[in-house]
Amino acid sequence: MPQLIAGNWKMHMLRGPAGELAAGVRAGARGLACELLVCPPFTAIETVARALGGSEVAVGGQDCHPKGQGAHTGDVSAAMLRDAGASWVILGHSERRQNHGETDELIREKVLAAVDAGLMPIVCVGETEDQRVAGQETEVVGWQIAGSLPKPFAGVVAYEPVWAIGTGRTATEQDVAIMHAFIREELGRQFGEAGQGIRILHGGSMRPANAASLLAVRHVGGGLIGGASLKADDFLAIARAARGADGV
Ligand code: PEP
């Protein structure tokens, strides 16, 4: 399976610049070995989906509500994301877990809603700095996997140590190797044979200078990129460092 390079644009980009960024990504995407995905804010999904129409680059949302519709002021359903042109959705990002109090149980419900609407979910897991200092990283991530992923699970997991997100600090290759091997084993333990095929993205300050070494680590199935996905050149440079068919 090819590696997946996914851009999380977070709360950046009005529609004009979003369309330009999407066009820039599209222009450099042809012939890449990896799969590409960009996840703009809700308001720019349709613009970006139009700019990328007929290209190899997929579009995703950054969150969805667990319910299909109803009295949920300010929320967006998975079907609405789909209707706007998304085929993927990021769920349980640490910024949602921390800033919106999202629990594993809520994230699991969101995954079910996403799959029901025909979206491919990317479920984020990762320990905080305090948890790592306390030596709890595998325990925390194991619980997040058990709690946030429904069974069966047809989606992607993104391991993002919270202390590496947006900080410029990256996990060492050794940390990455240990955690991705642990997650691969845990997916096998919790999901059996099917767990072996679940892609595990890595995220946390990935940029052109460190992408090749992080993406070369065993059991790294791609990258979830925040800051560096906001410039087409940087995002594409990371994509060029990614692997093709042997990328899981
Ligand atoms: C993220 O938010 O998923 C992320 C990895 O951000 P950054 O690349 O900026 O650390």
Side-chain angles (χ1 to χ4, degrees):
M1 207 187 301
Q3 288 186 318
L4 169 67
I5 302 299
N8 173 12
W9 295 2
K10 308 194 184 190
M11 200 172 71
H12 296 286
M13 299 283 158
L14 300 181
R15 285 177 301 164
E20 286 165 23
L21 177 54
V25 170
R26 178 184 187 131
R30 193 168 292 162
L32 287 173
C34 64
E35 287 179 29
L36 280 183
L37 165 68
V38 294
C39 300
F42 293 134
T43 49
I45 289 178
E46 188 171 357
T47 303
V48 168
R50 278 185 207 281
L52 294 171
S55 80
E56 301 278 283
V57 188
V59 182
Q62 302 172 13
D63 179 42
C64 71
H65 194 275
K67 293 267 165 41
Q69 60 182 352
H72 303 289
T73 303
D75 282 311
V76 171
S77 74
M80 289 167 181
L81 294 180
R82 183 108 182 120
D83 187 46
S87 49
W88 291 72
V89 62
I90 298 169
L91 295 171
H93 189 281
S94 64
E95 286 154 14
R96 300 224 41 105
R97 289 178 184 264
Q98 286 188 333
N99 304 341
H100 297 268
E102 293 200 2
T103 61
D104 289 334
E105 191 184 359
L106 175 65
I107 294 159
R108 190 173 67 241
E109 286 174 21
K110 291 184 175 197
V111 173
L112 291 170
V115 172
D116 206 40
L119 298 176
M120 177 70 103
I122 299 177
V123 178
C124 302
V125 297
E127 80 285 358
T128 62
E129 177 138 48
D130 286 351
Q131 289 165 336
R132 177 161 278 264
V133 169
Q136 296 168 341
E137 61 273 18
T138 51
E139 189 186 340
V140 167
V141 169
W143 277 111
Q144 289 175 332
I145 291 171
S148 326
L149 270 52
K151 290 187 174 69
F153 175 67
V156 171
V157 171
Y159 168 62
E160 302 199 298
V162 176
W163 46 270
I165 295 179
T167 59
R169 291 168 59 199
T170 36
T172 64
E173 284 165 49
Q174 197 189 4
D175 290 339
V176 176
I178 291 170
M179 289 307 290
H180 280 251
F182 166 76
I183 294 168
R184 171 62 66 227
E185 198 181 298
E186 195 62 20
L187 290 173
R189 210 175 58 75
Q190 294 187 24
F191 294 89
E193 185 78 2
Q196 298 308 316
I198 297 175
R199 260 196 291 212
I200 311 165
L201 308 186
H202 188 75
S205 298
M206 196 182 287
R207 47 190 183 272
N210 60 25
S213 56
L214 293 171
L215 291 169
V217 175
R218 187 140 192 260
H219 302 304
V220 172
L224 182 54
I225 324 296
S229 70
L230 296 174
K231 286 193 183 140
D233 286 350
D234 287 351
F235 187 59
L236 290 165
I238 294 171
R240 282 192 295 273
R243 287 180 285 144
D246 67 339
V248 172

Coordinates of all heavy atoms in Angstrom, one line a residue, residues 134-202:
A134 N 6.0 10.3 32.4 CA 5.6 9.3 33.4 C 5.8 7.9 32.9 O 5.4 6.9 33.6 CB 4.2 9.6 33.9
G135 N 6.2 7.8 31.6 CA 6.4 6.4 31.0 C 5.1 5.7 30.7 O 5.1 4.5 30.6
Q136 N 4.1 6.6 30.4 CA 2.7 6.0 30.2 C 2.3 6.0 28.7 O 1.2 5.7 28.4 CB 1.7 6.8 31.0 CG 1.9 6.7 32.5 CD 1.0 7.7 33.2 OE1 0.5 8.7 32.6 NE2 0.8 7.5 34.5
E137 N 3.3 6.2 27.8 CA 2.9 6.5 26.4 C 2.2 5.2 25.8 O 1.2 5.4 25.1 CB 4.1 7.0 25.5 CG 5.3 6.1 25.4 CD 6.3 6.3 26.6 OE1 5.9 6.8 27.6 OE2 7.4 5.8 26.4
T138 N 2.8 4.1 26.0 CA 2.1 2.9 25.3 C 0.8 2.6 26.0 O -0.2 2.3 25.3 CB 3.0 1.6 25.4 OG1 3.5 1.4 26.7 CG2 4.2 1.8 24.5
E139 N 0.7 2.7 27.3 CA -0.6 2.5 28.0 C -1.7 3.4 27.5 O -2.8 3.0 27.1 CB -0.3 2.7 29.5 CG -1.5 2.3 30.4 CD -1.2 2.7 31.8 OE1 0.0 2.9 32.1 OE2 -2.1 2.7 32.6
V140 N -1.3 4.7 27.4 CA -2.3 5.7 26.9 C -2.8 5.4 25.5 O -4.0 5.4 25.2 CB -1.7 7.1 27.0 CG1 -2.5 8.2 26.3 CG2 -1.5 7.5 28.5
V141 N -1.8 5.2 24.6 CA -2.1 5.0 23.2 C -2.9 3.7 23.1 O -3.9 3.6 22.3 CB -0.9 5.0 22.4 CG1 -1.1 4.5 20.9 CG2 -0.3 6.4 22.3
G142 N -2.6 2.7 23.8 CA -3.3 1.4 23.8 C -4.8 1.6 24.2 O -5.7 1.1 23.5
W143 N -5.0 2.4 25.2 CA -6.4 2.7 25.7 C -7.1 3.5 24.6 O -8.3 3.3 24.4 CB -6.4 3.4 27.0 CG -6.2 2.5 28.2 CD1 -5.1 2.4 29.0 CD2 -7.2 1.6 28.7 NE1 -5.4 1.4 30.0 CE2 -6.6 0.9 29.8 CE3 -8.5 1.2 28.2 CZ2 -7.3 -0.1 30.5 CZ3 -9.1 0.2 28.9 CH2 -8.5 -0.4 30.0
Q144 N -6.4 4.5 24.0 CA -7.1 5.3 23.0 C -7.5 4.5 21.8 O -8.6 4.6 21.3 CB -6.1 6.4 22.6 CG -5.9 7.5 23.6 CD -4.9 8.6 23.2 OE1 -4.0 8.3 22.4 NE2 -5.0 9.7 23.7
I145 N -6.7 3.5 21.4 CA -7.0 2.6 20.3 C -8.2 1.8 20.7 O -9.2 1.7 20.0 CB -5.8 1.8 19.9 CG1 -4.7 2.6 19.3 CG2 -6.2 0.7 18.9 CD1 -3.4 1.9 19.0
A146 N -8.2 1.2 21.9 CA -9.3 0.3 22.3 C -10.6 1.1 22.4 O -11.7 0.6 22.1 CB -8.9 -0.3 23.7
G147 N -10.5 2.4 22.9 CA -11.7 3.2 23.1 C -12.2 3.9 21.9 O -13.4 4.1 21.8
S148 N -11.4 4.3 21.0 CA -11.8 5.2 19.9 C -12.1 4.5 18.6 O -12.8 5.1 17.7 CB -10.8 6.3 19.5 OG -10.0 6.7 20.6
L149 N -11.6 3.3 18.5 CA -11.8 2.6 17.2 C -13.0 1.5 17.3 O -12.9 0.6 18.2 CB -10.5 1.8 16.8 CG -9.5 2.6 15.9 CD1 -9.2 3.9 16.5 CD2 -8.3 1.7 15.7
P150 N -14.0 1.7 16.5 CA -15.0 0.6 16.6 C -14.5 -0.7 16.0 O -13.5 -0.7 15.3 CB -16.2 1.2 15.7 CG -15.5 2.2 14.8 CD -14.3 2.7 15.5
K151 N -15.2 -1.8 16.3 CA -14.8 -3.1 15.7 C -16.0 -3.5 14.8 O -17.1 -3.6 15.3 CB -14.5 -4.1 16.8 CG -13.3 -3.8 17.6 CD -12.9 -4.9 18.6 CE -11.6 -4.7 19.2 NZ -11.6 -3.6 20.2
P152 N -15.8 -3.8 13.6 CA -14.5 -3.7 12.9 C -14.2 -2.2 12.6 O -15.1 -1.4 12.6 CB -14.8 -4.5 11.6 CG -16.3 -4.3 11.4 CD -16.9 -4.3 12.7
F153 N -13.0 -2.0 12.2 CA -12.5 -0.6 11.9 C -11.9 -0.6 10.5 O -10.9 -1.2 10.2 CB -11.5 -0.2 12.9 CG -10.9 1.2 12.6 CD1 -11.7 2.3 12.7 CD2 -9.6 1.3 12.3 CE1 -11.2 3.6 12.4 CE2 -9.0 2.6 12.0 CZ -9.8 3.7 12.1
A154 N -12.6 0.2 9.6 CA -12.0 0.3 8.2 C -11.6 1.8 8.1 O -12.3 2.6 7.6 CB -13.1 0.0 7.2
G155 N -10.4 2.1 8.6 CA -9.9 3.5 8.6 C -8.4 3.5 8.8 O -7.7 2.5 8.6
V156 N -8.0 4.7 9.2 CA -6.5 4.9 9.3 C -6.3 5.4 10.8 O -7.2 6.1 11.3 CB -6.1 6.0 8.3 CG1 -4.7 6.4 8.5 CG2 -6.2 5.4 6.9
V157 N -5.2 5.1 11.4 CA -4.8 5.6 12.7 C -3.7 6.6 12.5 O -2.8 6.4 11.6 CB -4.3 4.5 13.6 CG1 -3.8 5.0 14.9 CG2 -5.5 3.5 13.9
A158 N -3.7 7.7 13.2 CA -2.6 8.7 13.1 C -2.0 8.7 14.5 O -2.7 9.1 15.5 CB -3.0 10.0 12.6
Y159 N -0.7 8.4 14.7 CA 0.0 8.5 16.0 C 0.7 9.9 16.0 O 1.6 10.1 15.2 CB 1.0 7.4 16.2 CG 1.9 7.7 17.4 CD1 1.3 7.9 18.7 CD2 3.3 7.9 17.2 CE1 2.1 8.2 19.7 CE2 4.1 8.3 18.3 CZ 3.5 8.4 19.6 OH 4.3 8.8 20.6
E160 N 0.2 10.8 16.9 CA 0.8 12.1 17.0 C 1.1 12.4 18.4 O 0.2 12.7 19.2 CB -0.2 13.1 16.5 CG -0.7 12.9 15.1 CD -1.3 14.2 14.5 OE1 -2.3 14.7 15.0 OE2 -0.7 14.7 13.5
P161 N 2.3 12.3 18.9 CA 2.7 12.7 20.2 C 2.3 14.1 20.4 O 2.7 15.0 19.6 CB 4.2 12.4 20.3 CG 4.7 12.2 19.0 CD 3.5 11.9 18.1
V162 N 1.5 14.4 21.4 CA 0.9 15.8 21.6 C 2.0 16.8 21.7 O 1.9 17.9 21.2 CB -0.1 15.8 22.8 CG1 -0.6 17.2 23.0 CG2 -1.2 14.8 22.5
W163 N 3.1 16.4 22.4 CA 4.2 17.4 22.6 C 4.9 17.7 21.3 O 5.8 18.6 21.3 CB 5.1 16.8 23.7 CG 5.5 15.3 23.4 CD1 4.8 14.3 23.9 CD2 6.6 14.8 22.6 NE1 5.4 13.1 23.5 CE2 6.5 13.4 22.7 CE3 7.6 15.4 21.9 CZ2 7.4 12.6 22.0 CZ3 8.5 14.6 21.2 CH2 8.4 13.2 21.3
A164 N 4.7 17.0 20.3 CA 5.4 17.3 19.0 C 4.5 18.1 18.0 O 5.0 18.5 17.0 CB 5.8 16.0 18.3
I165 N 3.2 18.3 18.4 CA 2.3 19.0 17.4 C 2.5 20.5 17.5 O 2.3 21.1 18.6 CB 0.9 18.6 17.7 CG1 0.7 17.1 17.5 CG2 -0.1 19.4 16.9 CD1 -0.7 16.6 17.7
G166 N 2.9 21.0 16.4 CA 3.0 22.5 16.3 C 4.2 23.1 17.1 O 4.2 24.3 17.3
T167 N 5.0 22.3 17.7 CA 6.1 22.7 18.6 C 7.4 22.8 17.9 O 8.4 23.4 18.5 CB 6.2 21.8 19.8 OG1 6.6 20.5 19.2 CG2 5.0 21.7 20.6
G168 N 7.6 22.2 16.7 CA 8.9 22.1 16.1 C 9.7 21.0 16.7 O 10.8 20.6 16.1
R169 N 9.2 20.3 17.7 CA 10.0 19.2 18.3 C 9.4 17.9 17.6 O 8.2 17.8 17.5 CB 9.7 19.1 19.8 CG 10.3 20.1 20.6 CD 9.8 20.1 22.0 NE 10.0 18.8 22.7 CZ 9.3 18.4 23.8 NH1 8.4 19.2 24.3 NH2 9.6 17.3 24.4
T170 N 10.3 17.0 17.2 CA 9.8 15.8 16.6 C 10.3 14.6 17.5 O 11.3 14.7 18.1 CB 10.4 15.6 15.2 OG1 11.7 16.0 15.1 CG2 9.5 16.2 14.1
A171 N 9.5 13.6 17.4 CA 9.9 12.3 18.0 C 11.2 11.8 17.3 O 11.4 12.1 16.1 CB 8.8 11.3 17.9
T172 N 12.1 11.2 18.1 CA 13.3 10.6 17.4 C 12.9 9.4 16.6 O 11.8 8.8 16.8 CB 14.3 10.1 18.5 OG1 13.7 9.1 19.2 CG2 14.7 11.3 19.4
E173 N 13.7 9.0 15.7 CA 13.4 7.8 14.9 C 13.2 6.6 15.8 O 12.3 5.8 15.5 CB 14.5 7.6 13.9 CG 14.4 8.5 12.7 CD 15.7 8.5 11.9 OE1 16.2 7.4 11.5 OE2 16.3 9.6 11.6
Q174 N 13.9 6.6 16.8 CA 13.8 5.4 17.8 C 12.4 5.4 18.5 O 11.8 4.4 18.6 CB 14.9 5.4 18.8 CG 15.1 4.1 19.5 CD 16.1 4.2 20.6 OE1 16.6 5.3 21.0 NE2 16.3 3.1 21.2
D175 N 12.0 6.7 18.9 CA 10.7 6.8 19.5 C 9.6 6.4 18.6 O 8.7 5.7 18.9 CB 10.4 8.2 19.9 CG 11.2 8.8 21.0 OD1 11.7 8.0 21.8 OD2 11.3 10.0 21.1
V176 N 9.8 6.8 17.3 CA 8.8 6.5 16.3 C 8.7 5.0 16.0 O 7.6 4.4 16.0 CB 9.1 7.3 15.0 CG1 8.1 6.9 13.9 CG2 9.1 8.8 15.2
A177 N 9.9 4.4 15.9 CA 9.9 3.0 15.7 C 9.3 2.2 16.8 O 8.5 1.3 16.6 CB 11.4 2.5 15.5
I178 N 9.6 2.6 18.1 CA 9.0 1.9 19.2 C 7.5 2.0 19.2 O 6.7 1.1 19.4 CB 9.6 2.4 20.5 CG1 11.0 2.0 20.6 CG2 8.8 1.9 21.7 CD1 11.8 2.7 21.8
M179 N 7.0 3.3 19.0 CA 5.5 3.5 19.1 C 4.8 2.9 18.0 O 3.7 2.3 18.2 CB 5.2 5.0 19.2 CG 5.7 5.6 20.6 SD 5.0 4.8 22.0 CE 3.2 5.2 21.9
H180 N 5.3 3.0 16.8 CA 4.6 2.4 15.6 C 4.6 0.9 15.7 O 3.6 0.3 15.3 CB 5.2 3.0 14.3 CG 4.6 4.3 14.0 ND1 3.7 4.6 13.0 CD2 4.9 5.5 14.6 CE1 3.4 5.9 13.0 NE2 4.1 6.5 13.9
A181 N 5.7 0.3 16.2 CA 5.7 -1.2 16.3 C 4.7 -1.6 17.4 O 3.9 -2.5 17.2 CB 7.1 -1.6 16.7
F182 N 4.6 -0.8 18.5 CA 3.6 -1.0 19.5 C 2.2 -1.0 19.0 O 1.3 -1.8 19.2 CB 3.8 -0.1 20.7 CG 2.6 -0.1 21.6 CD1 2.5 -1.1 22.5 CD2 1.6 0.9 21.6 CE1 1.3 -1.2 23.4 CE2 0.5 0.9 22.4 CZ 0.4 -0.2 23.3
I183 N 1.9 0.1 18.2 CA 0.6 0.3 17.6 C 0.2 -0.8 16.7 O -0.9 -1.4 16.7 CB 0.4 1.7 17.0 CG1 0.6 2.8 18.1 CG2 -0.9 1.8 16.2 CD1 0.7 4.2 17.5
R184 N 1.2 -1.2 15.8 CA 1.0 -2.3 14.9 C 0.6 -3.6 15.7 O -0.4 -4.3 15.4 CB 2.2 -2.6 14.0 CG 2.2 -3.8 13.2 CD 1.1 -3.8 12.1 NE 1.2 -2.8 11.1 CZ 0.2 -2.0 10.7 NH1 -1.0 -2.2 11.2 NH2 0.4 -1.1 9.7
E185 N 1.3 -3.9 16.8 CA 1.1 -5.0 17.6 C -0.3 -5.0 18.3 O -1.1 -5.9 18.3 CB 2.2 -5.1 18.7 CG 2.3 -6.4 19.3 CD 3.4 -6.3 20.4 OE1 4.6 -6.0 20.0 OE2 3.1 -6.5 21.6
E186 N -0.6 -3.8 18.8 CA -1.9 -3.5 19.5 C -3.1 -3.7 18.5 O -4.1 -4.3 18.8 CB -1.9 -2.1 20.0 CG -2.9 -1.8 21.1 CD -2.8 -2.7 22.3 OE1 -1.7 -3.3 22.6 OE2 -3.8 -2.8 23.0
L187 N -2.9 -3.2 17.3 CA -4.0 -3.4 16.3 C -4.2 -4.8 15.9 O -5.3 -5.3 15.8 CB -3.6 -2.6 15.0 CG -3.7 -1.0 15.1 CD1 -3.2 -0.3 13.9 CD2 -5.1 -0.6 15.4
G188 N -3.1 -5.6 15.9 CA -3.2 -7.0 15.6 C -3.9 -7.7 16.8 O -4.7 -8.6 16.6
R189 N -3.5 -7.3 18.0 CA -4.1 -7.9 19.2 C -5.6 -7.6 19.3 O -6.4 -8.4 19.5 CB -3.4 -7.3 20.4 CG -3.4 -8.3 21.6 CD -2.6 -7.7 22.8 NE -3.1 -6.4 23.2 CZ -4.2 -6.2 24.0 NH1 -4.9 -7.3 24.4 NH2 -4.6 -5.1 24.4
Q190 N -6.0 -6.3 18.9 CA -7.4 -5.9 19.1 C -8.3 -6.3 17.8 O -9.5 -6.4 18.0 CB -7.5 -4.4 19.3 CG -6.9 -4.0 20.7 CD -7.1 -2.6 21.0 OE1 -8.0 -1.9 20.6 NE2 -6.3 -2.0 21.9
F191 N -7.6 -6.4 16.7 CA -8.4 -6.5 15.4 C -8.0 -7.8 14.6 O -8.5 -8.0 13.5 CB -8.3 -5.3 14.5 CG -8.9 -4.1 15.1 CD1 -8.1 -3.2 15.9 CD2 -10.2 -3.8 14.9 CE1 -8.7 -2.1 16.5 CE2 -10.8 -2.6 15.5 CZ -10.0 -1.8 16.3
G192 N -7.1 -8.6 15.2 CA -6.7 -9.8 14.5 C -6.0 -9.4 13.1 O -5.4 -8.4 13.0
E193 N -6.2 -10.3 12.2 CA -5.6 -10.2 10.9 C -5.9 -8.8 10.2 O -5.0 -8.2 9.7 CB -6.2 -11.3 10.0 CG -5.6 -11.4 8.6 CD -4.3 -12.2 8.6 OE1 -3.8 -12.6 9.7 OE2 -3.7 -12.3 7.5
A194 N -7.1 -8.3 10.4 CA -7.5 -7.1 9.8 C -6.7 -5.9 10.3 O -6.4 -4.9 9.6 CB -9.0 -6.8 10.0
G195 N -6.2 -6.0 11.5 CA -5.4 -5.0 12.1 C -4.0 -4.8 11.4 O -3.5 -3.7 11.4
Q196 N -3.6 -5.8 10.7 CA -2.3 -5.7 10.0 C -2.4 -4.8 8.8 O -1.4 -4.2 8.4 CB -1.8 -7.1 9.5 CG -1.6 -8.1 10.7 CD -0.6 -7.5 11.7 OE1 0.4 -6.9 11.4 NE2 -1.0 -7.7 13.0
G197 N -3.6 -4.6 8.3 CA -3.7 -3.8 7.1 C -4.1 -2.3 7.4 O -4.2 -1.5 6.5
I198 N -4.2 -2.0 8.7 CA -4.6 -0.6 9.1 C -3.4 0.3 9.0 O -2.3 0.0 9.6 CB -5.2 -0.5 10.5 CG1 -6.5 -1.4 10.6 CG2 -5.4 0.9 10.9 CD1 -7.1 -1.5 12.0
R199 N -3.5 1.4 8.2 CA -2.3 2.3 8.0 C -2.1 3.1 9.3 O -3.1 3.6 9.9 CB -2.6 3.2 6.8 CG -1.9 2.8 5.6 CD -1.8 3.9 4.5 NE -3.1 4.2 4.0 CZ -3.3 4.6 2.7 NH1 -2.3 4.7 1.9 NH2 -4.5 4.8 2.3
I200 N -0.9 3.3 9.6 CA -0.6 4.1 10.8 C 0.2 5.3 10.4 O 1.4 5.2 10.0 CB 0.2 3.3 11.9 CG1 -0.4 2.0 12.2 CG2 0.4 4.1 13.1 CD1 0.5 1.0 12.9
L201 N -0.4 6.5 10.4 CA 0.3 7.7 10.0 C 1.1 8.2 11.2 O 0.8 8.0 12.3 CB -0.7 8.8 9.5 CG -1.7 8.5 8.5 CD1 -2.5 9.7 8.1 CD2 -1.1 7.8 7.3
H202 N 2.2 9.0 10.8 CA 2.9 9.7 11.9 C 2.7 11.2 11.8 O 2.6 11.7 10.6 CB 4.4 9.4 11.9 CG 5.1 9.9 13.1 ND1 5.0 9.3 14.3 CD2 5.8 11.0 13.2 CE1 5.6 10.0 15.2 NE2 6.1 11.1 14.6

